[in-house]
């Protein structure tokens, strides 16, 4: 299901070829990685080994460090990884169907072909495609068939190889992006705009954690650089492998993180006018129009449903 023959490569002002999803040259890639490595505060939370690393870590807000410490031992188990791979695989199962996660990717790609889709799994509430698990016999009780709930504070995101998000902002939330499996590239932007200045590019591997707040690193794009099979990534692309990256996300609203500076009264008086102040709505730049739009934070699956599906998946 790739359309790599129809992808157009962007060119920068010097006429050099750039590639999806970051639209940068190899030289710019290198420079942006160096920029991220020198940034203060560091966009990545890690154990400092040198004086300059200590200074970079020192400037990270304590509430963020606390979230990262609580997540530091989290991993997907080997059987969970194997089951996710099976449900992402493009090959059909004995019943003639592809796995649950691949079906969701196809549905999302049909609804929005502007960028390769990823899967959002909420830790709380109901989600949009939970009903597909019922249809497969994994869930016994009847499930809803609507968009489900929004605003889960904790989310698992599954990134098929070569798939990526639009440029997006997390509003006025404070949170972490903790890599659980595979590999993820994170591009940081100064503002929410297609032509925004790029602040740095960094790669997360399992156990590494990026962070954000309303004032620091709130705008980014996430991409899984693993092998996606034929063709180059871009609009309309769906990979042809079972490779993936996975990340654990926490998003707390301003009134949930009292150690972060904020104006409680202004925030609450204004929240109805600007819902992107909370995790219920995030803003993003559409890939086709390259204009700002809003995303209500519906999820594709509920964690309770996905874990049941993974537990009942035969691994061969």
């Amino acid at each position: 299901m790739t359309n790599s023959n129809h992808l157009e490569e962007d060119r920068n002002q010097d006429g050099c070829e750039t590639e999806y999803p970051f639209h940068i040259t190899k030289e710019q890639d290198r420079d942006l990685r160096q920029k991220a490595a020198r940034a203060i505060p560091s966009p990545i939370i890690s154990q400092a080994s040198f004086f300059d690393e200590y200074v970079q870590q020192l400037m990270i807000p304590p509430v963020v460090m606390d979230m990262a410490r609580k997540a530091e031992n989290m991993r997907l188990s080997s059987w969970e990884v194997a089951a996710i791979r099976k449900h992402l695989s493009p090959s059909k199962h004995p019943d003639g169907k592809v796995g649950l996660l691949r079906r969701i990717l196809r549905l999302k790609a049909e609804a929005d072909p502007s960028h390769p889709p990823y899967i959002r799994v909420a830790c709380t509430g109901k989600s949009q495609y939970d009903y597909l698990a019922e249809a497969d016999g994994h869930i016994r009780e009847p499930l809803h068939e609507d968009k489900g709930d929004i605003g889960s504070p904790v989310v698992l995101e599954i990134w098929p190889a070569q798939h990526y998000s639009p440029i997006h902002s997390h509003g006025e939330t404070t949170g972490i992006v903790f890599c659980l499996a595979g590999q993820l590239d994170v591009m940081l932007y100064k503002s929410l705009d297609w032509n925004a200045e790029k602040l740095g590019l960094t790669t997360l591997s399992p156990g590494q954690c990026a962070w954000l707040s309303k004032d620091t690193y709130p705008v980014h794009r996430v991409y899984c650089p693993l092998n996606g099979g034929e063709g180059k990534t871009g609009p309309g692309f769906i990979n042809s492998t079972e490779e993936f990256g996975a990340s654990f996300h926490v998003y707390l609203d301003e009134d949930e993180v009292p150690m972060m500076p904020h104006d409680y009264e202004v925030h609450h008086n204004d929240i109805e006018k600007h819902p992107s102040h909370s995790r219920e709505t995030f803003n993003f730049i559409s890939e086709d129009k390259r204009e700002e739009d809003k995303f209500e934070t519906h999820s594709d699956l509920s964690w309770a449903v996905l874990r049941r599906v993974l537990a009942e998946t035969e691994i061969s």
Side-chain angles (χ1 to χ4, degrees):
M1 292 181 65
T2 66
N3 69 343
S4 58
N5 292 335
H6 301 289
L7 297 181
E8 295 181 1
E9 290 184 320
D10 285 355
R11 292 179 178 273
N12 67 16
Q13 59 185 2
D14 298 321
C16 299
E17 289 186 352
T18 65
E19 296 181 352
Y20 289 100
F22 301 128
H23 307 283
I24 56 176
T25 64
K26 292 180 179 179
E27 291 75 16
Q28 290 170 328
D29 182 291
R30 181 196 62 224
D31 292 344
L32 285 164
R33 290 182 183 280
Q34 292 176 351
K35 195 173 181 179
R38 296 191 298 265
I40 298 178
S42 172
I44 304 299
I45 299 172
S46 61
Q47 183 63 47
S49 301
F50 304 100
F51 291 128
D52 53 350
E53 290 179 343
Y54 180 81
V55 173
Q56 289 177 299
Q57 301 293 316
L58 181 65
M59 298 303 175
I60 298 174
V63 66
V64 174
M65 296 295 291
D66 184 52
M67 282 191 277
R69 278 193 292 268
K70 290 176 180 177
E72 64 185 359
N73 293 320
M74 291 187 62
R75 296 293 187 277
L76 290 173
S77 66
S78 57
W79 68 264
E80 287 172 325
V81 170
I84 289 173
R85 284 179 175 274
K86 187 165 185 177
H87 282 279
L88 284 174
S89 174
S91 59
K92 292 184 177 181
H93 294 180
D95 60 6
K97 296 180 180 179
V98 294
L100 175 63
L101 300 180
R102 176 65 58 166
R103 270 187 287 157
I104 292 174
L105 291 176
R106 290 179 177 179
L107 289 171
K108 295 188 71 172
E110 290 173 4
D112 180 9
S114 67
H115 68 94
Y118 60 99
I119 292 174
R120 183 181 170 94
V121 182
C123 75
T124 60
K126 298 177 290 187
S127 297
Q128 185 171 3
Y129 298 110
D130 287 346
Y131 73 93
L132 292 178
E134 178 193 1
D136 284 353
H138 292 287
I139 306 300
R140 313 302 184 242
E141 61 274 14
L143 291 170
H144 64 97
E145 193 168 346
D146 55 37
K147 285 192 172 183
D149 303 319
I150 60 175
S152 177
V154 180
V155 176
L156 165 68
E157 293 187 351
I158 298 172
W159 303 87
Q162 295 295 308
H163 289 214
Y164 57 87
S165 73
I167 301 169
H168 61 283
S169 169
H170 292 280
E172 298 193 359
T173 63
T174 297
I176 59 172
V177 178
F178 185 89
C179 185
L180 294 172
Q183 193 176 74
L184 297 171
D185 285 351
V186 181
M187 179 70 81
L188 306 170
Y189 298 86
K190 187 173 184 179
S191 61
L192 186 63
D193 186 89
W194 182 264
N195 296 310
E197 177 186 345
K198 298 176 178 68
L199 299 178
L201 175 62
T202 190
T203 297
L204 301 179
S205 56
Q208 291 186 307
C209 183
W211 68 281
L212 56 95
S213 72
K214 71 172 185 176
D215 298 315
T216 310
Y217 309 132
V219 182
H220 61 210
R221 186 199 288 269
V222 180
Y223 163 61
C224 180
L226 301 178
N227 177 21
E230 298 179 42
K232 295 182 178 180
T233 189
F237 178 90
I238 293 188
N239 75 0
S240 57
T241 72
E242 59 186 26
E243 297 294 328
F244 74 97
S247 48
F248 171 78
H249 301 239
V250 179
Y251 304 118
L252 299 182
D253 291 336
E254 276 198 288
D255 54 0
E256 297 170 326
V257 283
M259 295 177 68
M260 294 290 289
H262 65 274
D263 189 326
Y264 185 89
E265 290 187 4
V266 171
H267 168 73
H268 282 270
N269 290 339
D270 208 28
I271 193 168
E272 290 187 2
K273 295 180 181 178
H274 303 283
S276 62
H277 283 178
S278 79
R279 60 173 171 264
E280 293 188 354
T281 305
F282 293 151
N283 292 357
F284 70 99
I285 303 299
S286 62
E287 293 288 292
D288 45 4
K289 297 179 181 179
R290 302 189 176 187
E291 297 175 351
E292 187 172 332
D293 203 345
K294 292 185 182 296
F295 162 64
E296 287 190 339
T297 55
H298 295 285
S299 294
D300 304 307
L301 284 173
S302 304
W303 171 243
V305 171
L306 176 60
R307 197 172 193 282
R308 177 72 172 268
V309 170
L310 299 182
E312 295 185 355
T313 300
E314 293 185 8
I315 308 300
S316 56

